Amino acid sequence: MSSTETTEGKELSLISKVELRIALTDSDVKLESILKTYLAPLLLKLSSPHVSVRNKDRLDLLPIVIHGLADNLQESAAHTATLFNLLLKLLHHMKLPARGSNDDVDLRVKFSLDDNQQDAKFIASWLGKLILLTISGSEAKSSPGLSLEDSGFLQLYGKSNVWTTSSSDSLNLTETKIAAAKFLSSGAFIDSERFMPALFASADPNSRISSIGDDILKRATSVVSFEDHGLVADLLTIYLGTRGPSGSLPARAPLQTKILAILCRSKEATTFATQIIQIVKEGLALDRQGQGTNSGQQNQGLEAAKLRAQVFQFTNWVSRIGSHDSLSTVAPSLVYEIRLYIESQGWPQFSNNDTRATTTELSSRSYGYESIGLLAKSCPRALLLDPDLDLLRWLFSSLSGDTSGKEISISIEQALASVLGAFGGDIGSDIEASLKDLLLHQMDLRIGDTDSSENTVMRGTQYTAVRFANRCLPFNNTDARWIDVLALGLESTGRSEVLDEGQKGLDPYWYRNMNPLQDVNIPTQHCAVSAPQYALPTFEATVKRFFNISDDKIRSDWRQLSSGLSAAVAFCRCLILHQALATRYKAPLIDADWKKNIDAVVRNDEIARKEVRLYLDETHGLLVHSSAVLTTYLHNAFVGLLEQPHGTASDVGDCLLELCSICPASVLDALAFRAIALKKVIFSGEHAMRLTGSHVFGLLASRSIRPKEDIEDLLNLFHTKLKRWEEAIGSDVHQVHGSILALAYWLSRKTHHHQGIDVMVDLKKEFISTILSILISGRDRELLAAAIYAINQLCLFNVLSPQSIPESRKVSDVITRLIERAKTGDEKSVSALGYLAMQCEEDNSNDSTLNKVLDKLYGLHEIRQAELQFAVGAALSCAGCGWESKSLVEAVDFSGSLPQTSPRSSTLKAVLEKVLEDCKTTKPALRQASVIWLLCLVQYCGHLKGVSGELRACQVAFKGFLSDRDSLNQESASRGLTLVYEKGDKALKDDLVRDLVGSFIGSSAGLAGNVSEETQLFEPGALPTGEGSVTTYKDIMSLASEVGDSSLVYRFMSLASNNAIWSSRAAFGRFGLSNILSDSSVDGYLARNPKLYPALYRYRFDPNTNVRTSMNDIWSALVKDSAATIDSSFDLIMNDLLKNILGKEWRVRQASCGAIADLVQGRPLQRYEKYLTQIWTLTFKVCDDIKESVRASAMSLARVLTGVLTRSLEAGDSSATSANTMLKEVLPFLLSPSGLESSAQEVQAFALKTLLQIIKSSNKKTLGPFIPDLLSRLIGLLSSLEPQAINYIHLNADKYGMTPQQIDDVRLSSVKSSPMMEAIERCLDMLDEDSMKILREKLGNAIKTAVGLPSRVGCTRVVVSLSTRHNAVFRPHADYFLQLCQRQMLDRNDTISTSFAVACGYLGRLISDDMLLRIIIYCRKLYFDSEDDRHRTVSGEITHALANYATDRFTSVAVEVLPFVFIAKHDTHERTKELFTNTWSENVGGSRAVMLYLKEIIAMALPYLDSPSWSIKHTSAFAIADIVAALGSEISSPNAEVLWPALEKAIAGKTWDGKEKILEAVVKFAKHSNILSASAQIAGQMQMIMLREGKRNNHDYRPHALACLGDFIELRGEVDWYNQIHSITEPIIAGALDNVNEMDVDSRSGGLSSKLVSEQTLANALKTLFRSINPTILSPEDLAVSLSQTLSLARKAISKKSRTVLEAAFDGEKILFQKLHDDGSTSKATEDILLEHVPVLFDQEDRVEQTRVKAIDAAAVLASYKQQGSRLKTLLEREINSAREHERAYSVKQSLDRAKSLL
């Protein structure tokens, strides 16, 4: 047995004995004694040179120390503490395996912690406590987070020098904590055990510890449940500490911050009420830090600020997540503490000893306000809903007074917003009253005022107050609505949000949206009726609150409210009208258009208007109290009209006018006395004001039979102003305009109220004459408009008629002038003509005034203005039936009977016949005018027999316009049909619906109309023909005749038909067509023919916006229960959509896609399972549609289908069946030629995206059965989906300035980062043992058959992933896949080959030992036996991969592989050399490591020195040479004996590039070993080798050979070399001197040029020759001869004047002269030779400074020669002096002076 083995055995035995002794100890005394004796030597064994000893010491001792620690603590705490301390000491010397490696995973088993989990928990717990330990002084004080008992345990209960550096037996606390943290991160512990220690470590101030803790915490957090009551309790105990003298201190601030961050994720933490209160109380009691300059104070202050911020976040968490019971306990205390904290900073304004608030302080203050809001919201009864509203007042005061910053105000507003909901619902009358008073107080406050808390207001709170009023008080609370009015009165403040909130508060619809009902069972449409909080306030209560009913004067603050008055008046007007309609007629719909709905009903519905009038008569006309309320309202509106700004006054005036038009006479009489005050308004500079004021004046002033004196005076003033109309300019024009309007309204209403009584006859005549003069001859537009307006009013009330026109004027002139104005677009002129026609007597003659007026009105069809044509239609209705026309509903601003008009019997019928006839015309202008007139006649006169009897004719006429190209015509016809339907009987209704549906579904052409020659089918320019365009049917016929193709007629007609159909469909649903179908669906045609639904459903998704909107309206009206209808017709609808999705028309295809998408969403799979494959197939077909919008719609459908599938997959078990069913259908389709292999790029891209999304959303259960097939397809698709351009670029890389390898690198990178690889990885994550068995075959086939770089590289990525992340299921198959990969590694593509090599490296982790040895043998064979250089590189790739990715396995076979690596790292191929060099350097510990494998390396390299492959032969030789270098300066005899045969063999043979390295190694070997002295034979062999190599003639090799020969000569000083060397060097020198003019040629290998090589050869030859002369063994005669020959050759070489040669010659001479000096003997012959050579040394011509110095140095050696003769001395002295005299260089002078001093 060797001595090494004996030492190793002894050390192992010692360790075993010590382990046994420690294991058998049963007391602390014995353990301490043993440790004192054996601990030190045991620890020394950790540095043993034997690996087995080190491993046993580290790993075997730890289980003994660990085992039973938890149980020992109960028996002896001191004993356990000592063992734990020993464990800590062992941790310092323990080398932990790499995290995640197999050794790391097995660590828990090695330490037996799996079987002793209590010990694992115990150790982890105490390692965590160790991290909390802090040492201050020598006393065992408790550390933050630790009790006195814990600190005593860790300090061995008072033992000295446990944690000091003064004793060799003590530990360094910081380094021990680091070692403990690293141990915790190892595989010895599971995440649940190391969570708490990791938390402690993450908060440690030492970054080396905290970084480890953070890393562990990230991994451990995911497996720990924060809802564990025990865990939360432990965290709170660490945070707060425990009470009592031996209790633990609270943790340090950083750890407390970390703990709170965790508690903010635990709902369970919100149940610890007492601890929560304590945390907040102590957290807010922290003193402000960071004021000083000390960095420690700053850090402490920063930590305190972080902790305080976290305390607030924890408070927010508690308030949001905590249960009601918990919050009711903690909220009051927390709010109190936070208020106290804020007030301690200064409240409401921040103040702290005249110092500015820091960012941290402001942040904490902001958090405080937010927390108060959240807490108060969570516990309103205890904190908010008290009669005094203390907290709410405090928050309002904070908002108005805290000016700490914008962020603070935002936080206060958030707090107030949080508590907003607490006041919803029933809060009690006393709290509601207090809230109302508070909000009113806030609305009255202005900046600078003092609030109820005696604090100065610095910021307005009106916005928040309005929000509270709108959300906390019911809508019928008049104080809340008054607050809204006040908000609107703040328009001057510029705060738009206040105005918006005020407007919303006065709108019941917005109020309902802001305050949704809590009771979801109340239907939305009944909310306004059934919910008490939505009830509207009564008109009476609102007027009382808004206006002072006991005083006739307007409220004192109205003048400051401006727009507030307008809002108040408008709101009251809506209230009284809503009350009236709800009581007598039908309550208006409360929606976003509530006000508009009221306006529409009151102004256009005659019945509703009458009912409102009756309601007002009943409620306000008789009751004195109610009458006073309405009078007060009108009074205030009247004053507002007078005194408000123009814009506001106009709005107020409109409300006043409307109420005056319908209110009881008694109310008007009460207000009539103030009519005189309207003079100001009538003469106003604003047109709208004059118009409104005049109208109100007419209503009020016309009440009495005889005008009062003041009214009469005002009328005379108006008349006076009017008479000077021709002279009026500027503001006078406004007065004349107002006078005309006022007189017209007064005169018309006065005449109606007092029919048969002529009042102020002269004034009337003059007025009529004047306005007619203005009409005929006036030029001022404003006065002309006033005159026409006056004519309207006078004609309407029978004041002006053809008979009453003065004789000086002709009726025809009036009509002509009005028509002229009408043609300019003046609608009032058209109305005047209609009202004038009302007063014309009916006469059938063409010359009658009535017929003239009608003819003029018909002639206005040429004016293409829709508004004007509607005015003409209204005028025709007035002419036809007078006051019976519904167009005059709004004109009835009086009570009682209607004014008298000329009787009518046939006019209406004639007008209708004329209009119906015009509807048949083809003239576009007349057609449009006719349909509008017909619509007006049906709308305004449809109740009369003359129209109702012709409804069928009207229906036919309207139908003809539905296909019209003009959208206005379509809309008018649509509205007309609706009116016809409403007014017709059941037969007419069914007939209309039948036509509509038939036209809609294409089964009838009844709506398309007829075609004549002049029928316009296309817009001009739509179909250009070169000289013009095809527009009419006649054009089509002509074009077909010209080209001789009669089919053109049918093609164009088909196109025109389609256009017409689509145009007609755009009109569906407009203006109420949906009502026709809706009514019919109940008991009409549609109820018996439900086939409309599929087509209607499809058209809801039509690409045309108008069509889509119309169809949705129809659907909404037609289908009462949409879900039920769709369910019952599902199959019918789906079949229709699947049929039409590939239809001819793109609109149909696009609509079908959208309809299917909507149809399948939200429905169970079973409903459409049978259609699923067909849907996917058709969807992907349409994805390649020619129309872009259709493609987009198809892609949208595909996304919907994908979303349905992914949501089913994400739902997990709940939708597992549906998901599996869909996957069975979808996956094969996606992978088919219709999906990923489709030729359409859009389809291909979406199929890929869908597939990736499916994989991402699936779980193991649903996708598991498909994984093997899916993976093999995905791998193949990696190449299939690569753009073809990549292959082209790869083949033509040089054209783009790139190499193929660079392109392959990019491709490799894209594969690694591609979504496909992510999907593959996701699939691999779902593998199990069963699916892995199936995947083995699939993946194996993919590896064998994959084509293209992406797929082949993808295979390797899969293998790598399986080897690293799924090794448990993959390990049994590793050997098989290694064999597969081994066959692929010789691929011609380097990137693919390298990828498979890397995969082999990862497989090395899992393969069997036998397979590992086989792959190493394969690598060696591949390297040494292959003739392809690439194979050697592949061998290097495999070896390097094994070393990198399977390090442990690689190390286990180091003896087999490292010798091979050492040899191969000397390869002549750069890439191969780099790979093996890296492998060697990463796996050995320095150059001396080669000694460990010396014999193996030599044994492996020796056979290959005779290899027929030059590369292998040279590599082996280089390896042998490198061994010599690695062995250093002392080569032992055994090593030398082993090495020499290989070295001799390596140097043998002819010359080759790099052989000089072998020769240099021979010289080093001779120099550093005793081989020359030990073996004369080997010495002789070496001598022969050196002489042989020196004789080589290789031009590049010879300089090196000569230099090595010279070095070797120095080693053999006892040998006379001169003659042999002279015979070698003399020809070389002579040849060099003969080739003076040789051409200089650059080296092909990048080395020295040929000339420089020649110079170097000459230089080395000279040096070697000089070194060969040995004076000690030569006779004087031989010495003289050799000296003469050598110096002669030197002089010849010097004459070449090459610097390299010169310096070599002088260096050689210096060596030679030194030898002569050392020998001491001389002769006359020698002196003569030297005398001849001395002048050469001092020849300074053409020598550089350095060369001259070298020459003088050689001469200096001669100068020091003691046996020199006088002649030589004299010559030297003379030459030195001469050179000194002429020398300029300082360094040369120094050398000369030194040489002279030696003489």
Coordinates of all heavy atoms in Angstrom, one line a residue, residues 288 291 345 350-358 361:
R288 N -40.2 62.3 13.8 CA -39.7 62.7 12.4 C -38.2 62.6 12.5 O -37.6 63.1 13.4 CB -40.2 64.1 12.0 CG -41.6 64.1 11.6 CD -42.0 65.4 11.0 NE -41.8 66.5 11.9 CZ -41.4 67.7 11.5 NH1 -41.2 67.9 10.2 NH2 -41.2 68.7 12.3
Q291 N -33.5 65.1 10.1 CA -33.2 66.5 10.2 C -31.8 66.9 10.2 O -31.3 67.9 9.8 CB -33.9 67.1 11.4 CG -35.5 66.9 11.4 CD -36.1 67.6 10.3 OE1 -35.7 68.7 9.9 NE2 -37.2 67.1 9.8
Q345 N -49.3 67.7 13.1 CA -48.5 68.4 12.1 C -48.9 69.8 11.9 O -48.2 70.6 11.3 CB -48.6 67.6 10.8 CG -47.9 66.3 10.8 CD -48.0 65.6 9.4 OE1 -49.0 65.8 8.7 NE2 -47.0 64.9 9.0
F350 N -50.5 73.1 7.5 CA -49.3 72.4 8.1 C -48.4 73.5 8.7 O -48.1 74.5 8.1 CB -48.6 71.7 6.9 CG -47.4 70.9 7.4 CD1 -47.5 69.6 7.8 CD2 -46.1 71.5 7.6 CE1 -46.4 68.9 8.2 CE2 -45.1 70.8 8.0 CZ -45.2 69.5 8.4
S351 N -48.0 73.2 9.9 CA -47.0 74.1 10.6 C -46.2 73.3 11.5 O -46.7 72.5 12.3 CB -47.8 75.2 11.4 OG -48.6 74.6 12.3
N352 N -44.9 73.5 11.4 CA -43.9 72.7 12.2 C -42.7 73.5 12.5 O -41.7 73.4 11.9 CB -43.6 71.4 11.5 CG -42.8 70.5 12.4 OD1 -42.7 70.7 13.6 ND2 -42.1 69.5 11.8
N353 N -42.9 74.4 13.5 CA -41.7 75.2 14.0 C -41.1 76.0 12.9 O -39.9 76.0 12.7 CB -40.7 74.3 14.7 CG -41.2 73.6 15.9 OD1 -42.1 74.1 16.6 ND2 -40.8 72.4 16.2
D354 N -41.9 76.5 12.0 CA -41.4 77.4 11.0 C -40.6 76.6 9.9 O -39.8 77.3 9.2 CB -40.6 78.6 11.5 CG -41.5 79.5 12.4 OD1 -42.7 79.5 12.1 OD2 -41.0 80.1 13.3
T355 N -40.7 75.3 9.9 CA -39.9 74.6 8.9 C -40.9 74.1 7.8 O -42.1 73.9 8.1 CB -39.2 73.4 9.5 OG1 -40.2 72.5 10.1 CG2 -38.3 73.8 10.6
R356 N -40.4 74.0 6.6 CA -41.2 73.6 5.5 C -41.4 72.1 5.6 O -40.6 71.4 6.0 CB -40.5 73.9 4.2 CG -40.4 75.4 3.9 CD -39.8 75.6 2.5 NE -40.7 75.1 1.5 CZ -40.4 75.0 0.2 NH1 -39.2 75.5 -0.2 NH2 -41.2 74.5 -0.7
A357 N -42.6 71.7 5.1 CA -42.9 70.2 5.2 C -42.0 69.5 4.2 O -41.8 69.9 3.0 CB -44.4 70.0 4.9
T358 N -41.5 68.4 4.6 CA -40.7 67.5 3.7 C -41.7 66.7 2.9 O -42.8 66.6 3.1 CB -39.8 66.6 4.5 OG1 -40.6 65.7 5.3 CG2 -38.9 67.4 5.4
E361 N -43.2 64.0 4.9 CA -44.3 64.4 5.8 C -45.6 64.6 5.0 O -46.7 64.2 5.4 CB -43.9 65.7 6.5 CG -42.8 65.4 7.5 CD -42.2 66.7 8.1 OE1 -42.2 67.8 7.4 OE2 -41.8 66.7 9.3

